[in-house]
Structures are given as structure tokens and as C-alpha cells.
Amino acid sequence: MFVTLFVKEVINHLQTFRFGAALVTAFALVSVSAWVLGEDYRERLNAYNVLSESYAAQAREVYVPSQISPVIHRAPGPLAIFAQGSEGRLGNSVQIKRWEVPRHAEENLMQNKLLLGLPAFDLLSIFTIVFSVFGILLSFDAICGERERGTLKQVCSYPVPRATLFLSKYLAAVAVLAVPFAISLLSALIILLFALGISFSGAEWGAIALMALAGLLFAALFVAVGTAASALVKRSSTALLLGLVFWSVTVLIVPSLAPAAAAALVPLEQPQEVRVLEQKTWTETDSAVWKWAEDHAPNAGSGWGSSGFGGEDPWLFDAPPQWFHDAARFVAYIEPIYRQRAERIWNVVKRHLSRKEQQSGLADSLGSVSPAHLLRRSFTALASTDYATYADFMEQARRYRSALIDSLANRGLFTSKVYELFSRRPMAEIESESAWQNRRNDYEARRAAGEAGFAMMSIKNYGPLPENYAPQFVYRNGGPRTSDALAPIGFLAVYVLIILAAGFAAFARYRVA
Amino acid sequence: MFLIAKHQLRDGLADARFLFMSAVVLLLFAINGFLGAERYLQERADWLELGAYTRSMLESTIDNLQRVADYEQLMAKPPSALAFIADGGGALLPNVVNVNAFLVSNPDRLNRGNETNDVLPPLDWVFIVGTVMTLIALLLSFATVNGEKRDGTLKQVLSYPVSRLTLFAGKYLGHLAALVLVLLLGAVLDLLILTLLGALPGEWAVIEVVGWAVLLSIVTLSFFLLLGMGVSSMTARPAVSLVVLIIIWVIAVAAIPGIASLVGKRLAEAPSEFTVQQEIDAASKSIWDDAPPDAGRWNGDPRAPWVIGRAQTVLKMVASRQRIDDAATAQRIGQRRAVQQVAALSPTGLLAAALEEQCGTGIAGYEVFYRTARQYREQLHNFVEERDKLDPDSPHLIYSWERYSERGTYSTKPVTMNMIPRAEALWLAGGLARERPQPLMPLLVLLALNLAVAAVAFIALARFDPR
């Protein structure tokens, strides 16, 4: 009996205008979006490849250890097409500096800082709006519509339990809505795979399958809402209104309200605390350090110290060896001080950051009342564009920096062999007067001959550092965060069951005439 | 006509469902008031404190004009009291720059915005009116004509000795009156909350902007009303018109603004940070290569003969850097504006763009901020020049090398705090009362859209078969 009813309902639905409209709208919107998003992904991937090439070239131009400041980066993933999440908003590359703990990734790959603050646009947003709205539109008159048409009396007179009736209507609507869902998803995949040549790895296909499941559950939830609404009231227009109110509250309002509520409940600290502390710490440290320099390394000069490492730069040729010695001594002195300062500042930054994470965690929990938010959580986890993935990347960056500094320290570069930090010339050569004189003559000759780029020429005599001089960064990409996605998907399923139960309870008491 | 309108209005107001929807809207306006007030007051306190901090840091440099010129002040954009109307992505846009007498650089974000959150539409007026109330407008009007036909009352109404035009206008005015009533109530409630919490300055400019906001909102809502009535006259059953209207609504409110960001990026190019840095490095390198041979020399004597060449080279490099930065900024602003314009294809996007312009938020606000920062840099530089002229001991070579002025190349005499121009003065001079173009263009476009839809809707009604 169930199957007959189910098939009857499905056929009825397939003949309605709304089904056709849902099919066409979903297909059109998803296809257009998939195309635009896919093109955008390819552009970003190109930009990333160009950038990583230049980062690699930069790394090859490192001649002395003091110039080691690699940029580590991770590629944009194709699943960001499905859920943009933090991609493009939080950065993809970090420059490792000896005297600064990386606190946030640079938005280098993002073309334009001024495009921040625009709502994310991805297949998730299309699915969220289209399938929730059509879920309600397909089912809001399931029960009360039949009542208005007068056929409910008839149907209820069959020797069929009300549960079967209810379920057959519900599942038929879900099945019918699954058709545009499947077709639009397929169309998106076809466009991405064949028209745009984007490929997915095995784990990514698994993630897409789970996303499809989550999306279906989401659509099923709104069909449940519509069906339940239709079982609660007598007039279908009221049911529609009820459904739309639920929709606008959970899809439009709660997701925007949750962060605002979280911001009120977990207010962030003064934003300039970090900046102010940083500026103050830098000023304090700098004045103490330069005071030391005046007493112990008076010839250290203005180019040495924080960022300007002498070494092979031309002004060295104007300087007597004593200046070089002073500068090296100066740097050996400041290295531990600046490292400590970096840690101090990082502790303050970390506090601020963890508070921000607390706030967004609360916003997450508050927003979980909304199925749209649950869908977003599951999609971003599966696409590995959620905040947790970014936080993990930053942790890896910080650990790499520690490993890098330790490896340089293990070579004694910050103490006895500090000269090696700036120059790969043997110390004997630095100290012998004739070597200096020869270098200076050579430099003057090149200058007179009008040769450009004299600054780098002397370094070219020595070639770049070997590639394994310092540890290389390898990004351990965890792939789709399936475990993080299971919770929201589970919640969605429970949500569906609760609403169905409520709807069925209402239908069980429904006055048929 | 007005009888019909009054009748329609009373019907609407008596409808429990309409009252429920209005209650939701009023609640949203109230929430907007509370959250907007809290946010503005906090941001203003932060801004004042940052100003005080900058002032105290500046005070520590007044013993030496060179240090005053070098000190990179953190100049922050003051929060807009009108951000509750149109937020414009304020929490994530850059709002501070470093400014000294030589360079405006490093735009960054320093506010309580939380970048670890997802970016979602904020609950401002643009959202309440442009997203929620437009949906309500469609729900009010989707069954105006074909619903009455279904109920059988249309034949009756059309038999009255009133022209279809009067009928049309009457229904339209009735619906509009209901919406405007809710809008005005919500606006008043919102403004009341803001005023009571002390987040709304009592300036004429505020009233002007609010007036424009209400006017543009009414015109936007009217558009969706007419759209609903039109589709209602063109389809046989309300179920069909509802679906069609909701599809149009989804496209106008979600799809177009969403795709706008991706399309806008293609329409207007903007360089990445990396490209700009490369350009700056290349330009600096070529200037350095063409420099006089002694430009690299510095032995601490500001009067050495080669220092003049060095000063000129450095000035050229700084000028080229600022030029490249400004060009890049202009391109980035252009790109964001292109996104705004594509989003303005939808009435909601148009409303957002017009109101952001009025409230000084979003990209419009950022443009003003950047321009003011440049202005302030000019002021600082002029100040340094004038003080330097008064100093007979100075070699008068005003330049800075890698953000630090080389000692003694220009005046190192002390100054007093009240001689130094302050950025706050520039903001106070501008403020809310600054020159702001009236949003006539968006208003005209919206009115034109209204007329177009009204014409189509009326023609459809005129040809509607009531049988």
C-alpha cells in the first residue's frame, strides 16, 4: 500500500509547476555558479603556481644564512568550489622570519584586501537557499491542501494507517526534490571535470559523496518542515507562511544573529593592545640594544641589526674590518633578545587569537539551531576550508620556524660562527687587509664600468646555499576533515527525525473534514 | 481609489499572518538598534583610545623634529554612527594606516572584527529591508489578482464602476501603506533605541541620511510589490505566481550579489600584494642603479657633499613607492566598486550601494579614509618643511632612508605638541557633515524600475480574464 501511495504522490508532484520550476532553477543556478566558481578556482590555482615558482626562485637566491626567510604556502583546493569557508579570507602563505612568530597567514594569494567582508559565494550558498525554499514549496500543502481539495477525507478512509499516509507523502516529496538535487550536482561535476578540467582525488570524491548526503538531509529537513506545517494548520496559505517563517529565521536570520550574539557574550579585547605592545616592546628593546651597541660595538652602523644584514652589501667595501667585527658582535648580542621579544609578543597575540576562537566557537554552537549553519559546518569541514584546517596550517608553520631556528643554532651560527650568518667568505680572508683592498678595487672597477646590480655581484661569486642547508617545509595536508563533519550531519539527521515526529503527531490528531 | 486602498490596508492589518510578519520585522529592527549601538560605542571608545595612545607616543618625539617626522602614526578611520543602516563589510575592511611625513603605508585592520568567523550578511537596514521586507512584499502581493480570481471575488470587484487603473492603484497603495507603516514603526523603534543608548549623534546630517534611507527603502519595497502584483496578473494560480516570485527573489537577493564578487573581479583588475612589492622593488632598484656613484655613502656627516645626491635618490624612491602604492590602491578600490556595481543589478544591491555611500561605510568610507590619510601626510610634510625653514643650522635636506631620517640632514630642533597638525582635526572637519553626493542616481534608477514594472503589471491586469 505504501508503495502505491508513494508512486501516486511522486507522479502528482512531477506534474506540478513547482517541480519544473525547481528543476530549472536549481539546474540553471548551480550550473552557472559551478562554471564561474570553477573558472575562479583555476585562476587562483594559476596565481598560486606563479607565486610558488617565484617563492622557489627567491629561495634559490639565498646566498648566506642570514637571508633564509622562506615563504611556506599551501595550494588552493578544488573543494573550495563547494564551500569557500575560510579560503581566500584567511591566507595561504606565511613568511618565516627569525624574529617574529607567524601569527596569521598573509593574504598574498588574495588579490585584493578590499574584497574582504563580502559574503562567501560557493555551491553551498546556492544549495542552502534553493533546496530549502523548494523543500517548503513542494510540501507546504501536503496535508492541508488535500483537505482544501476535499480529497483528504477519501484518502483517510482507506484502511491505511495514518503513519503510512504521512510517510508516503513525505518521502515522495523528498524523492521528487532529490531529482533536481542530483541533476544539478551532476551538472556541476560534469562542468568542473570536463569543461574546466578540474580533477578530484579519491579522498575528495569521498568528501563530495558526504556533501551530497548532507545536502539531501538538509533538503529533507525542509520538506519535513513543510509537511509538518501542513499538518498543523487548516489553510495551506498559513502553512506556507509558517514554513517560510521557519525558513527565514533559520536560514536568513539565525546565521547572521549568532555571531553578533556571540560578540556580545564573549567580547573581544582591545584590538590595539597587540599593536601598542608591539610598538612599545620594539622601541624599548631597540633603545636598550643600541645603547649596548654604543658601548660595545660602536661601529655596528645603521644598516646592521634588525633587518639589514651587511655581509656582501657594497657598503662593506667602504668599511674597515673592525666595522664588520663590531657588526657581527652586535648581531650575536641581539639574536637571543629579539627571539625572546618574538615569544613575548606571540603570547599576547595568542591570547587574543584564542579569545577570537572562543567567540567563533560560541557563534558556532549558537548557530547550530539553524540547519543552514549545520550544512555549512559539514561542507566546510569536508572541503577542508574550515577554520580548524587553517589553524592547523599555522601550527605547522610555527613548528617549522622553531625547527629552522634550532637547525641554524645547532650550526653555531648565533655564537661563535656568527660571521657565517652574513658571509661565506672565510674569516681569514675578511681579516686580511689585502683581501679587502682587492675587493674594493674590484668593486670600484665594476662601478666605473657601469655594471648594474653590483650589490649582488659579489655574492654571485659564491653561489646559493645548498638546498638541504636548512630543513624544508612539507605541508601535511590532512585532507577532508570527515570526523569534524560527522557531528553536524548527525545533528541534521536528528533534526529531521524530530520535525517528522512533530509533524506526524500533529497529523495523527488532524481533523480530516 | 482611496477607498479601495483603505479597504486593502485594513484587510492587511487585520490579517494575523501579516501582523506576525510585522512583529518579526520590528524585532529585527530592535535587535539592529541594540547591536548597532553596542558596536558603535565600543568602536568609538577604541578609536579614541588609539588616538590618545598615538598622541602620547607623539609626545615622546617632540624633542627632535626628525623624530616627529619619522614616527609612524597609526591613523584609524573613525567608526560611522550610521553603520546600522548599511554595514558594508565594515568589520573586515582595512581601517588603519601608518602615516608619517613621508609615506602612507600598510593599510591594515584593527578593530574587534573576528576574522575566524564566517562572513555572513550583517543585520543592518539593508538586510532587513532588502532581504526580509522584500520577501514580505512578495508574500503580500503574490495573490492580489489571481487569488481573488480563485476566491471568486475578482468578478465582483471588476463589476464595480471603477476603472481597472483605479483598482490597481488602490490595491497597490493599500499594500504599500501596510509595508510603509511597518517600516516607519521599525525605523522609529530602531532610532529610539539608538538615541537612548547614546549611539546616535543629534546632527542634521543623521536625519538627512535616515530620510534618504527610508525613501530608498520605500521605493525598493514598492518595486517588489509591483512585481508581485504583475506576476499575479500574469499567472492563473497563486501557487504558480508564488513559485515564480520566490525564484526571482532568490536570484535578486542571493544569486546576483553572490556572483557579483566573482564577476567584478574579472571586470576590473587589481594587483596582488606580491606584484606590487615586486614593482616597488624593481623601481627602487632602477632608481638606485641610475643614482650618482656616492649615493650609497653615509658616514654620519649630513654636510658631506655626496649627501645631496643621496637625498635626491631617496626622495625619488619614496615618491615612486607612494605612486605605485596609490595606483594599486586605486585599482583595488575600483575592483571593489565594480563588484558593487554588478551587485547593483539587483534592487537590493542598488539599495546597499546607495546607502553605503550615504553612511560612509564600505568601500565609499574606505576611499574617504585613504584620501584623508594622504591629506594628513601632506599636512605633516608641510609642517616639517616650515619648521625646517626656520632653523638656520639645518642643511635642509628633508628625506628619510628606510623609514629613519638620517641624523641631521634637516632640522633636529624641538617642537611643541600644539604645533603638530593632528589627524583628528581632519576628521572633525569632515565628519558626518562632509560633502556627500545625494543618492539621486540610485533613486532615479529605482523609480524607473518601478514605472517599468508598474506598466507591465497594469497592462497584465488590464488584459486579465476574470472568468
Side-chain angles (χ1 to χ4, degrees):
Chain A
M1 199 60 212
F2 172 82
V3 175
T4 325
L5 285 171
F6 176 82
V7 169
K8 175 194 95 158
E9 292 286 341
V10 167
I11 293 178
N12 278 346
H13 272 296
L14 289 178
Q15 294 170 334
T16 58
F17 174 77
R18 344 177 203 177
F19 169 72
L23 187 61
V24 169
T25 313
F27 177 77
L29 278 179
V30 171
S31 306
V32 168
S33 311
W35 180 270
V36 176
L37 286 164
E39 286 283 357
D40 185 64
Y41 165 71
R42 282 210 313 193
E43 253 180 52
R44 280 185 297 125
L45 193 59
N46 279 342
Y48 168 78
N49 287 334
V50 166
L51 262 181
S52 63
E53 249 313 297
S54 53
Y55 291 146
Q58 258 178 22
R60 285 194 287 273
E61 296 285 308
V62 170
Y63 296 93
V64 288
S66 64
Q67 291 174 331
I68 295 179
S69 186
V71 177
I72 63 175
H73 41 76
R74 54 177 182 150
L79 286 180
I81 295 172
F82 285 86
Q84 187 186 326
S86 59
E87 177 112 350
R89 178 167 46 90
L90 301 172
N92 282 4
S93 61
V94 191
Q95 178 154 39
I96 303 293
K97 300 179 197 156
R98 284 204 334 259
W99 295 333
E100 189 178 320
V101 178
R103 63 185 79 165
H104 57 70
E106 291 308 311
E107 292 134 4
N108 277 335
L109 296 187
M110 238 201 75
Q111 291 291 316
N112 189 346
K113 251 187 209 171
L114 300 180
L115 292 182
L116 289 172
L118 291 171
F121 178 67
D122 42 17
L123 290 182
L124 168 69
S125 0
I126 302 281
F127 281 142
T128 307
I129 298 209
V130 170
F131 290 102
S132 52
V133 166
F134 278 114
I136 302 216
L137 286 179
L138 278 184
S139 61
F140 75 94
D141 60 358
I143 312 284
C144 49
E146 285 240 14
R147 182 180 194 269
E148 285 172 345
R149 284 193 291 274
T151 52
L152 190 61
K153 276 183 279 194
Q154 224 173 347
V155 171
C156 283
S157 70
Y158 299 160
V160 180
R162 284 205 178 186
T164 318
L165 277 174
F166 187 78
L167 271 178
S168 69
K169 280 186 175 294
Y170 171 69
L171 289 174
V174 173
V176 163
L177 191 55
V179 170
F181 183 82
I183 290 184
S184 49
L185 184 61
L186 264 172
S187 146
L189 287 173
I190 290 177
I191 290 178
L192 291 174
L193 285 173
F194 299 115
L196 296 173
I198 299 171
S199 59
F200 299 105
S201 72
E204 285 169 347
W205 277 113
I208 293 178
L210 272 176
M211 282 193 223
L213 174 66
L216 260 177
L217 267 176
F218 177 76
L221 192 149
F222 280 91
V223 176
V225 168
T227 318
S230 80
L232 278 169
V233 294
K234 294 200 196 106
R235 292 174 55 191
S236 51
S237 50
T238 319
L240 174 67
L241 184 66
L242 217 59
L244 284 178
V245 166
F246 178 86
W247 178 82
S248 46
V249 167
T250 53
V251 173
L252 291 183
I253 298 178
V254 167
S256 299
L257 200 54
L265 290 170
V266 180
L268 295 178
E269 292 146 340
Q270 287 250 305
Q272 53 247 33
E273 188 186 328
V274 177
R275 274 272 190 138
V276 162
L277 181 84
E278 232 182 324
Q279 256 185 342
K280 232 194 301 190
T281 323
W282 274 80
T283 324
E284 277 170 13
T285 337
D286 273 350
S287 39
V289 147
W290 283 109
K291 180 87 183 42
W292 182 92
E294 266 173 40
D295 300 334
H296 300 99
N299 298 306
S302 63
W304 298 82
S306 50
S307 54
F309 303 119
E312 310 294 327
D313 276 5
W315 62 47
L316 184 60
F317 300 103
D318 297 337
Q322 185 53 34
W323 287 34
F324 189 77
H325 290 215
D326 269 5
R329 201 179 14 238
F330 177 64
V331 174
Y333 170 72
I334 61 180
E335 183 74 28
I337 295 182
Y338 283 4
R339 277 189 69 174
Q340 245 176 27
R341 175 175 68 187
E343 290 297 319
R344 233 182 354 148
I345 294 177
W346 166 241
N347 282 335
V348 179
V349 171
K350 195 159 61 158
R351 214 178 51 227
H352 275 246
L353 200 56
S354 64
R355 196 143 168 94
K356 283 188 184 175
E357 289 169 357
Q358 224 186 335
Q359 193 194 75
S360 52
L362 181 60
D364 226 8
S365 318
L366 289 177
S368 290
V369 154
S370 149
H373 184 83
L374 290 171
L375 190 68
R376 171 182 296 273
R377 266 178 64 187
S378 58
F379 264 52
T380 48
L382 289 167
S384 60
T385 53
D386 57 353
Y387 180 72
T389 314
Y390 165 80
D392 175 65
F393 170 66
M394 290 307 294
E395 241 339 278
Q396 289 188 31
R398 283 176 214 121
R399 271 188 247 131
Y400 171 68
R401 172 183 169 267
S402 302
L404 182 67
I405 299 179
D406 288 342
S407 91
L408 292 179
N410 286 343
R411 291 173 182 268
L413 288 181
F414 301 138
T415 49
S416 56
K417 295 204 275 176
V418 69
Y419 295 114
E420 239 178 79
L421 205 57
F422 308 110
S423 165
R424 290 161 62 207
R425 286 187 283 146
M427 216 160 98
E429 188 193 317
I430 294 170
E431 301 196 304
S432 80
E433 190 72 25
S434 60
W436 279 96
Q437 205 52 46
N438 289 343
R439 281 216 79 86
R440 183 197 233 107
N441 292 340
D442 178 48
Y443 158 63
E444 295 292 343
R446 284 179 202 259
R447 253 259 109 138
E451 286 191 48
F454 55 79
M456 295 305 274
M457 256 194 318
S458 52
I459 301 176
K460 284 198 171 110
N461 296 336
Y462 293 89
L465 283 174
E467 268 199 39
N468 52 6
Y469 187 84
Q472 298 290 323
F473 176 73
V474 175
Y475 178 47
R476 280 187 322 277
N477 186 349
R481 302 185 151 254
T482 321
S483 48
D484 282 346
L486 288 179
I489 294 182
F491 283 150
L492 272 176
V494 170
Y495 219 141
V496 173
L497 290 173
I498 293 178
I499 296 181
L500 269 183
F504 176 64
F507 183 51
R509 304 173 20 231
Y510 199 72
R511 286 182 55 122
V512 180
Chain B
M1 174 174 73
F2 289 110
L3 199 64
I4 300 176
K6 246 200 326 200
H7 183 83
Q8 186 77 55
L9 177 63
R10 237 180 313 134
D11 269 352
L13 293 180
D15 189 348
R17 297 167 300 167
F18 174 72
L19 288 176
F20 183 67
M21 292 193 285
S22 317
V24 170
V25 170
L26 288 178
L27 185 64
L28 284 176
F29 271 111
I31 293 177
N32 172 284
F34 280 115
L35 292 179
E38 188 183 336
R39 183 164 145 207
Y40 171 68
L41 290 172
Q42 206 172 61
E43 284 184 358
R44 191 160 175 86
D46 286 346
W47 183 73
L48 287 172
E49 190 154 332
L50 186 64
Y53 166 74
T54 312
R55 189 192 166 81
S56 71
M57 289 297 284
L58 202 54
E59 256 175 27
S60 69
T61 64
I62 57 177
D63 58 334
N64 183 335
L65 180 67
Q66 285 204 302
R67 292 183 57 207
V68 172
D70 275 335
Y71 171 58
E72 286 189 328
Q73 300 183 37
L74 263 184
M75 182 169 163
K77 174 179 179 297
S80 168
L82 298 168
F84 68 94
I85 294 181
D87 183 75
L92 291 183
L93 280 179
N95 70 332
V96 291
V97 279
N98 285 354
V99 186
N100 65 7
F102 303 101
L103 209 53
V104 172
S105 63
N106 195 21
D108 202 352
R109 175 180 62 241
L110 197 72
N111 55 24
R112 295 188 195 230
N114 188 345
E115 70 274 5
T116 63
N117 266 337
D118 283 322
V119 179
L120 293 156
L123 282 177
D124 52 1
W125 278 23
V126 169
F127 176 80
I128 299 177
V129 171
T131 307
V132 180
M133 287 190 78
T134 49
L135 183 60
I136 294 179
L138 290 178
L139 289 178
L140 271 185
S141 60
F142 79 93
T144 325
V145 179
N146 52 16
E148 290 225 5
K149 175 181 184 187
R150 178 196 55 194
D151 291 339
T153 53
L154 188 64
K155 275 184 273 194
Q156 222 173 350
V157 172
L158 285 176
S159 70
Y160 297 161
V162 266
S163 66
R164 288 200 181 191
L165 178 62
T166 321
L167 186 66
F168 181 84
K171 281 185 170 298
Y172 164 72
L173 282 178
H175 285 314
L176 189 64
L179 278 175
V180 170
L181 198 61
V182 176
L183 175 67
L184 288 177
L185 270 177
V188 165
L189 180 63
D190 199 337
L191 293 171
L192 209 62
I193 294 178
L194 284 166
T195 318
L196 285 176
L197 292 176
L200 205 59
E203 293 173 25
W204 167 249
V206 169
I207 300 179
E208 194 189 332
V209 174
V210 169
W212 279 114
V214 169
L215 180 61
L216 287 169
S217 305
I218 293 176
V219 181
T220 311
L221 290 173
S222 153
F223 171 80
F224 279 90
L225 259 183
L226 290 168
L227 188 66
M229 288 176 69
V231 173
S232 175
S233 313
M234 288 193 270
T235 53
R237 291 178 298 128
V240 173
S241 61
L242 176 68
V243 172
V244 170
L245 285 169
I246 289 199
I247 293 177
I248 297 180
W249 182 84
V250 165
I251 293 179
V253 162
I256 291 185
I259 295 204
S261 61
L262 292 176
V263 170
K265 267 204 285 189
R266 264 107 168 298
L267 287 179
E269 292 283 316
S272 67
E273 307 270 347
F274 183 75
T275 324
V276 172
Q277 192 56 50
Q278 275 193 320
E279 222 184 302
I280 291 178
D281 287 343
S284 296
K285 188 165 178 310
S286 85
I287 292 175
W288 188 252
D289 286 343
D290 293 334
D294 289 330
R297 278 177 88 175
W298 174 253
N299 60 1
D301 176 14
R303 295 199 141 79
W306 54 78
V307 176
I308 297 182
R310 184 176 174 79
Q312 284 169 345
T313 313
V314 170
L315 283 173
K316 264 194 248 171
M317 292 204 299
V318 170
S320 100
R321 181 190 162 159
Q322 184 79 86
R323 207 174 36 239
I324 296 173
D325 261 341
D326 285 348
T329 305
Q331 277 183 294
R332 289 180 186 139
I333 293 178
Q335 199 181 55
R336 176 82 184 231
R337 282 212 179 272
V339 169
Q340 209 182 40
Q341 278 168 353
V342 174
L345 287 175
S346 132
T348 310
L350 189 55
L351 183 68
L355 289 181
E356 274 175 34
E357 191 75 41
Q358 288 298 299
C359 302
T361 51
I363 193 62
Y366 182 76
E367 246 185 313
V368 170
F369 168 59
Y370 196 75
R371 220 178 329 142
T372 314
R374 296 289 320 280
Q375 251 183 305
Y376 182 56
R377 188 210 75 94
E378 297 285 326
Q379 271 190 357
L380 272 179
H381 198 262
N382 290 343
F383 164 71
V384 170
E385 267 180 39
E386 276 161 33
R387 293 301 305 175
D388 182 60
K389 273 197 211 119
L390 297 174
D391 182 359
D393 303 324
S394 146
H396 301 303
L397 290 173
I398 304 175
Y399 74 97
S400 84
W401 174 244
E402 302 212 313
R403 299 169 120 116
Y404 290 101
S405 301
E406 282 172 331
R407 297 199 196 135
T409 60
Y410 59 103
S411 169
T412 56
K413 294 278 185 326
V415 295
T416 58
M417 263 318 273
N418 43 10
M419 288 185 208
I420 309 178
R422 305 284 295 128
E424 279 77 30
L426 275 177
W427 286 119
L428 289 171
L432 282 172
R434 64 176 169 86
E435 273 307 302
R436 180 191 312 112
Q438 312 225 299
L440 291 175
M441 197 52 190
L443 181 62
L444 283 174
V445 172
L446 282 171
L447 283 174
L449 282 174
N450 266 278
L451 278 172
V453 178
V456 170
F458 175 64
I459 293 173
L461 177 62
R463 300 180 43 232
F464 194 73
D465 187 356
R467 284 165 295 150

